[in-house]
Amino acid sequence: KQWYRTQSTGELNKKEKIEKQRIDEFEAEVEVFRALENIRGVYVLHGLHYSHEQFGLFVQDHKIDGCKKKSQEEEGECDFIVIGRQYIAVLEVKSPDMKSRNHEKMFYDRYKESLAQRNRTVRLIVGIVDYLQLENPPTIFSLSIFNRLSRENVGEFEKYQKITFKERNCILLLTVT
């Protein structure tokens, strides 16, 4: 199916929207990276991609899930993993277009996507920590980071209100001044 910018509204076609979203998310990751650069005493991994085979090595129950992916197929990715002395933080960065007609739906869809990515990466990290049999395993945190949003923006969204209080505490909203 062909997608074209409509003459009357000047809206982006589907391909252009995807490219704009990719650029927005890259810019959001740069903003987060700049903030993480200022934290001392941590290691920061950016753009961690892992295969189905790598995931399966540490997440034993994954094979039971009936997954049909090929071993070298990408299982998941994580925008940032921050490793401190006693913690590991999994960070997923999203940049919903608040100018879109249905920005509430876009925010919620991006949130659900980030939650799935975070949960998959946390499962991998827990599997690695269990495999290492550490005497003092690190605490694992996971956050979804949305740039250019405020609590006032998302507080009005009906779907945001449906997100549990516990999970709302795992959403970081960054406003750049």
Side-chain angles (χ1 to χ4, degrees):
K1 188 173 185 175
Q2 296 286 333
W3 298 91
Y4 298 97
R5 186 185 305 232
T6 60
Q7 295 288 347
S8 60
T9 63
E11 291 183 24
L12 301 177
N13 63 40
K14 185 174 183 178
K15 186 177 179 182
E16 291 169 327
K17 285 179 184 178
I18 291 169
E19 181 63 15
K20 181 183 181 313
Q21 184 65 42
R22 192 185 66 72
I23 291 168
D24 288 348
E25 299 229 337
F26 174 78
E27 290 173 355
E29 286 183 28
V30 169
E31 290 173 17
V32 171
F33 180 79
R34 295 284 180 245
L36 292 172
E37 281 182 315
N38 297 318
I39 301 174
R40 301 285 179 238
V42 299
Y43 294 95
V44 177
L45 305 177
H46 175 254
L48 176 71
H49 293 257
Y50 46 94
S51 70
H52 181 65
E53 180 179 36
Q54 291 165 328
F55 189 75
L57 287 172
F58 298 103
V59 182
Q60 298 303 316
D61 66 343
H62 180 65
K63 294 175 182 132
I64 298 169
D65 294 345
C67 189
K68 294 179 171 68
K69 287 187 178 181
K70 295 177 182 167
S71 65
Q72 296 308 309
E73 193 173 338
E74 184 175 289
E75 179 68 34
E77 65 87 22
C78 182
D79 293 331
F80 294 96
I81 296 179
V82 180
I83 304 169
R85 287 199 174 277
Q86 291 297 312
Y87 68 90
I88 298 173
V90 173
L91 309 178
E92 274 303 320
V93 181
K94 299 297 176 197
S95 183
D97 182 2
M98 296 306 288
K99 294 176 186 166
S100 72
R101 278 186 275 170
N102 197 348
H103 54 271
E104 178 175 358
K105 180 182 181 321
M106 178 175 275
F107 165 79
Y108 192 68
D109 289 349
R110 305 302 287 152
Y111 161 73
K112 288 190 305 186
E113 179 184 312
S114 74
L115 180 61
Q117 289 172 307
R118 286 176 22 220
N119 287 341
R120 191 177 306 112
T121 302
V122 166
R123 283 179 70 195
L124 175 63
I125 292 170
V126 166
I128 292 169
V129 168
D130 288 348
Y131 175 81
L132 295 173
Q133 299 178 350
L134 300 174
E135 192 171 305
N136 295 311
T139 302
I140 301 171
F141 301 96
S142 76
L143 297 168
S144 294
I145 301 174
F146 290 88
N147 74 328
R148 301 182 195 115
L149 284 180
S150 68
R151 289 273 178 219
E152 292 78 34
N153 293 127
V154 297
E156 299 171 4
F157 297 165
E158 183 179 318
K159 289 183 177 186
Y160 179 74
Q161 301 305 324
K162 293 179 181 177
I163 298 171
T164 67
F165 180 77
K166 180 181 176 184
E167 190 53 38
R168 275 192 240 164
N169 286 325
C170 295
I171 297 174
L172 179 62
L173 303 172
L174 295 179
T175 53
V176 179
T177 55

